[in-house]
Amino acid sequence: MNVQKLSQKEITDLLQGKDDKWLFEEASKIKGNIFGKDVYIRGVVEFSNFCKEDCFYCGLRRSNGCLVRYRLAPLDIMRCAEVADSLKIKTLVLQSGEDYFYSKEQIAGLIQRVKSRYDIVVTLSIGERRNDELKFWFDVGAERYLLKVETFDEKLYEQLRPGKRLSDRIGKVMYLKELGYETGSGIIVGLPGQTVDSISRDIIKLSELNLEMIACGPFIPHPETPLGGYPPGDPLTTIRVVAILRILNPSANIPSTSALSSFGEEWRRAGLKAGANVVMPSLTPEKVKDLYSIYPGKNSGYDEIFDAVEGIKRLIREAGFIPSESKGYSKRRLDEKCS
Ligand code: SAH
Ligand code: SF4
């Protein structure tokens, strides 16, 4: 197998389990060469579950009238940053639904407060905001942005994200890169209507974007959505996606996602062994964490944040790796600067 350029046919075969032994060994070798045994930890603060969008797969969609909505006050968010700092977590991911309640200035204020008080990198994951906002937040100190394309299949994308256009989403991802963010994107694996062929095309398209971060988790049906009755994505296919992405994007930061771990913590370990080098525990306060129900069971695995983070560190060690206390800047970026 040619590691540099897997053909679409080879990717499709690998996705179907044609050569798991080779795939996982190769991905793990590549990861080891670049990251050693380090696994980066990113703390996620889910600060609002309000969303103006209506994605068919997501429990936060605006049409879900059963969900109690919340917004964290800036003080609560700062407490999460304090928790991150005390746990030596050096990246705070501020995530939410697409919630325009938080203005450009308010988000900027948050970024500045976190950065002025702690030695922490801020990642934003708050949807498709306006270009002037994205630029402003970068200028005030946000360094990373996560915006998953979800699927590059145009028809499927437009069915599952009503009123939205795939080209706009990809355009935003490219704009984030242009601004200088360490940019992350990814897909959901196992969406209804997705095929092995479309996943292999997604892998190629994601890899062509030269992303600093690539996040792919399995689809988990949420009963209060139009896709509630469909089967979940397959965790084994998901870790094959992770491994293929590692091979095609050696120095990208790739998480073993929380969605994967909802099939059992052994799947998070499997993700790490298949080439993932990042974990993203939730630091969302206990009083609201269950309401951030993108999919059922999200954030249900712990009662206490400290226990959750300790549990994740234990899991990293059990998988044979070391929880890193570094900021985990993109090695892809460093490689490009040095070349
Ligand atoms: N609103 C922002 C960020 C929060 S959603 C955005 O959409 O970009 C974060 C991620 O949750 C989405 O990118 C999507 O990939 C994932 N997600 C949503 N519903 C899901 C589901 N049912 N199963 C698995 N992942 C899901
Ligand atoms: Fe909103 Fe993001 Fe969920 Fe879509 S995936 S409904 S944009 S929170």
Side-chain angles (χ1 to χ4, degrees):
M1 203 89 62
N2 180 346
V3 175
Q4 285 306 312
K5 284 192 207 121
L6 293 172
S7 68
Q8 198 187 328
K9 165 84 174 62
E10 284 170 325
I11 294 174
T12 308
D13 286 348
L14 288 168
L15 283 174
Q16 294 175 103
K18 186 141 186 241
D19 204 345
D20 277 346
K21 188 169 179 301
W22 177 85
L23 174 63
F24 295 135
E25 280 176 13
E26 189 64 30
S28 152
K29 189 178 84 193
I30 293 172
K31 177 180 103 162
N33 287 343
I34 293 180
F35 299 97
K37 293 204 172 297
D38 282 356
V39 171
Y40 303 140
I41 303 178
R42 322 295 200 196
V44 187
V45 182
E46 295 138 332
F47 65 94
S48 160
N49 70 352
F50 281 84
C51 190
K52 74 171 184 53
E53 296 303 337
D54 219 13
C55 307
F56 273 32
Y57 39 82
C58 178
L60 306 193
R61 66 199 303 267
R62 66 167 185 265
S63 303
N64 181 5
C66 304
L67 181 65
V68 175
R69 306 280 172 167
Y70 73 88
R71 288 185 179 109
L72 290 183
L75 202 65
D76 287 323
I77 301 175
M78 287 308 290
R79 287 210 185 96
C80 299
E82 190 184 335
V83 169
D85 185 61
S86 70
L87 293 168
K88 300 197 168 56
I89 293 177
K90 296 281 171 48
T91 297
L92 201 65
V93 182
L94 298 178
Q95 194 182 82
S96 68
E98 255 183 67
D99 183 6
Y100 279 79
F101 173 85
Y102 297 91
S103 66
K104 171 172 157 178
E105 289 73 23
Q106 279 170 318
I107 298 282
L110 268 176
I111 298 164
Q112 286 169 314
R113 280 173 76 177
V114 172
K115 301 265 312 173
S116 65
R117 206 160 302 172
Y118 304 106
D119 182 27
I120 279 182
V121 177
V122 174
T123 303
L124 298 175
S125 174
I126 58 178
E128 276 174 62
R129 300 282 300 234
R130 292 191 319 266
N131 285 3
D132 64 294
E133 295 179 312
L134 301 175
K135 177 165 182 343
F136 192 58
W137 299 329
F138 181 76
D139 290 342
V140 299
E143 290 173 79
R144 303 181 181 140
Y145 206 107
L146 278 173
L147 189 69
K148 287 168 70 175
V149 172
E150 320 293 5
T151 168
F152 287 80
D153 175 331
E154 191 169 9
K155 209 163 136 236
L156 189 61
Y157 181 94
E158 287 170 15
Q159 269 168 7
L160 299 184
R161 304 201 72 226
K164 310 300 287 183
R165 288 167 52 152
L166 175 65
S167 53
D168 291 341
R169 190 80 165 180
I170 298 174
K172 281 282 173 205
V173 172
M174 288 167 69
Y175 183 62
L176 290 164
K177 273 195 74 85
E178 199 180 307
L179 285 174
Y181 281 102
E182 285 192 5
T183 304
S185 193
I187 59 161
I188 301 178
V189 179
L191 285 167
Q194 218 178 22
T195 61
V196 186
D197 280 337
S198 72
I199 298 175
S200 58
R201 273 195 296 275
D202 289 354
I203 290 175
I204 293 171
K205 294 244 167 77
L206 275 175
S207 303
E208 284 170 356
L209 286 170
N210 283 327
L211 297 159
E212 281 81 28
M213 308 179 275
I214 311 178
C216 298
F219 165 65
I220 301 172
H222 188 300
E224 302 298 338
T225 65
L227 304 184
Y230 285 87
D234 173 29
L236 180 56
T237 308
T238 308
I239 63 169
R240 288 180 184 136
V241 171
V242 164
I244 298 167
L245 284 166
R246 170 60 66 211
I247 291 171
L248 296 175
N249 302 267
S251 51
N253 283 325
I254 302 179
S256 187
T257 60
S258 303
L260 188 54
S261 75
S262 65
F263 289 83
E265 282 300 339
E266 68 276 19
W267 283 104
R268 204 197 290 268
R269 272 195 295 271
L272 292 174
K273 289 183 176 165
N277 71 312
V278 174
V279 291
M280 304 177 71
S282 169
L283 304 182
T284 304
E286 281 95 5
K287 61 178 179 186
V288 293
K289 71 180 174 66
D290 293 338
L291 298 174
Y292 198 75
S293 52
I294 284 178
Y295 50 80
K298 166 110 181 66
N299 296 347
S300 65
Y302 65 94
D303 291 327
E304 249 274 341
I305 289 169
F306 287 88
D307 295 341
V309 173
E310 270 318 304
I312 272 208
K313 288 186 179 167
R314 202 168 42 243
L315 180 137
I316 293 170
R317 290 192 200 95
E318 281 163 12
F321 302 105
I322 299 166
S324 164
E325 287 177 2
S326 92
K327 290 187 179 137
Y329 277 111
S330 164
K331 292 202 190 277
R332 173 165 243 166
R333 189 68 74 74
L334 296 175
D335 287 351
E336 279 167 11
K337 274 191 191 140
C338 298
S339 61

